[in-house]
Amino acid sequence: MSLPELGRLGFGAAGIGNLYRAMDDDVAAATLAAAWDAGLRYFDTAPHYGLGLSERRLGAFLATKPRDEFVISTKVGRLLEPAENVEGARDSQGFDVPADTVRHWDPSEAGIRRSIEDSLERTGLDRIDIVYLHDPDVYDLEAGINQALPALEKLREEGLVKAIGVGSNSADALAECVARADIDVIMLAGRYSLLEQPAAADLLPLCLERNVQVANCGVYNSGLLARPVVPDDAHYNYEPAPAHVLARAKALAACCDEFGVELPAAALQFAVSHPAVCTVVVGASNAKQIKQTAERMAAVIPAGLWPALVERGLLDESLLHV
């Protein structure tokens, strides 16, 4: 089946799963409403995000919208199993939710089917459009390729999902999956951004060759490129940014400022410029953020910015797809 139209900008729903901090239901609903009002029609979630909270909140919102007007993706590979939580423990993997379930890696066909059934129950929707195998390299890449991806191909053949793919932070792992399986799309996290482009060498050309689309996410590199002025305490890969990375981000921001462009706007538009990329997926923790993101994606960027970045050694000339 062909990949559904996703639009240049999609909504990443990790934040509404209480990523890093708790979010009220009303704030989550308002954030999703702002995304819809801004024209976003692609929504990505996962069982991993808030131990199902993201799927539940997203499903409750999308249930109020015409089913044929949006595309939803979720992920498989991590099953949620009930766990006794007698001491009120919180999740240990970055989400501010009770640890009343545990994640269990299961790449088997039975595990994949159960994961999708569980996601349908949590979202309350009648179908999932796109299913990604979630971070197989974190667990067992070979098992993911040899067990999970054939199972997903079978589900696609049966018409239970429209498109299948893999999501990962590793360009190398994604390249292995693209080369060895018949997938439609990948979700690439943080490996093709204005700051760094390791996916440009092998992965993205391979995607073009095999007609695999790319949903690009993590394009702010853990928030490093998310503000017009890069703070000294900025993070990169979820840790304090090393001095050389911080210096590069500040140099990018300074060049953008000379052209009257905000760094986040340049980061967004660069991230969607590669011909293999079909959409950029960005999260938000409130309605204001998502409105700002949509405005930045639509901002006019002077054509001279990109050659200036090349001249200063901040961007390779071969990447001037913008």
Side-chain angles (χ1 to χ4, degrees):
M1 292 186 180
S2 60
L3 186 71
E5 176 63 38
L6 303 182
R8 293 181 77 219
L9 186 62
F11 183 87
I16 64 167
N18 287 6
L19 180 62
Y20 303 134
R21 64 187 66 86
M23 176 188 291
D24 291 340
D25 288 341
D26 290 346
V27 173
T31 304
L32 288 165
W36 187 273
D37 292 343
L40 279 67
R41 294 296 183 268
Y42 173 43
F43 299 85
D44 174 70
T45 184
H48 172 60
Y49 302 158
L51 297 173
L53 178 62
S54 173
E55 288 187 321
R56 290 191 292 272
R57 282 175 164 169
L58 181 58
F61 173 78
L62 291 177
T64 68
K65 306 300 180 184
R67 183 60 187 89
D68 291 337
E69 291 188 14
F70 63 85
V71 177
I72 181 173
S73 59
T74 193
K75 304 179 181 76
V76 297
R78 288 180 171 106
L79 281 173
L80 301 183
E81 304 282 6
E84 187 177 2
N85 187 3
V86 295
E87 298 181 359
R90 310 296 286 180
D91 179 54
S92 62
Q93 296 193 29
F95 296 89
D96 189 0
V97 294
D100 51 11
T101 58
V102 294
R103 302 166 179 87
H104 173 66
W105 165 248
D106 188 343
S108 69
E109 181 176 340
I112 298 299
R113 288 183 181 273
R114 182 188 146 192
S115 183
I116 293 174
E117 290 171 1
D118 289 349
S119 291
L120 287 170
E121 183 175 349
R122 282 188 290 266
T123 61
L125 299 174
D126 63 341
R127 66 182 186 275
I128 303 295
D129 299 301
I130 303 170
V131 176
Y132 297 102
L133 178 62
H134 202 180
D135 293 335
D137 50 299
V138 172
Y139 300 96
D140 186 336
L141 181 59
E142 285 300 313
I145 293 173
N146 295 324
Q147 296 182 51
L149 292 183
L152 286 177
E153 290 177 25
K154 187 174 180 180
L155 290 173
R156 183 182 57 194
E157 290 169 5
E158 294 172 4
L160 296 180
V161 296
K162 291 183 179 179
I164 62 170
V166 183
S168 175
N169 293 278
S170 169
D172 291 341
L174 288 171
E176 279 288 304
C177 295
V178 171
R180 296 169 56 188
D182 179 18
I183 59 178
D184 305 293
V185 59
I186 59 170
M187 180 159 279
L188 174 66
R191 303 284 78 86
Y192 189 80
S193 71
L194 190 58
L195 180 74
E196 58 181 354
Q197 306 87 32
D202 299 313
L203 175 61
L204 297 185
L206 181 62
C207 287
L208 286 174
E209 177 186 325
R210 294 183 61 88
N211 196 29
V212 174
Q213 296 292 305
V214 178
N216 198 4
C217 64
V219 301
Y220 290 148
N221 290 110
S222 302
L224 185 62
L225 308 183
R227 286 167 282 193
V229 177
V230 180
D232 292 334
D233 61 351
H235 281 64
Y236 167 73
N237 283 350
Y238 309 105
E239 296 180 353
H244 70 282
V245 173
L246 193 62
R248 185 176 183 86
K250 289 188 173 186
L252 287 167
C255 188
C256 289
D257 186 60
E258 290 176 23
F259 284 83
V261 175
E262 289 189 342
L263 175 61
L268 278 172
Q269 296 194 32
F270 173 80
V272 78
S273 67
H274 194 283
V277 174
C278 64
T279 189
V280 168
V281 178
V282 180
S285 58
N286 55 57
K288 180 180 178 180
Q289 282 185 0
I290 200 65
K291 292 175 184 175
Q292 189 176 53
T293 297
E295 290 169 357
R296 286 168 170 168
M297 183 62 94
V300 176
I301 296 183
L305 170 63
W306 312 110
L309 291 172
V310 172
E311 290 172 7
R312 300 181 192 193
L314 297 170
L315 190 64
D316 191 276
E317 188 173 11
S318 66
L319 301 176
L320 290 188
H321 303 291
V322 285

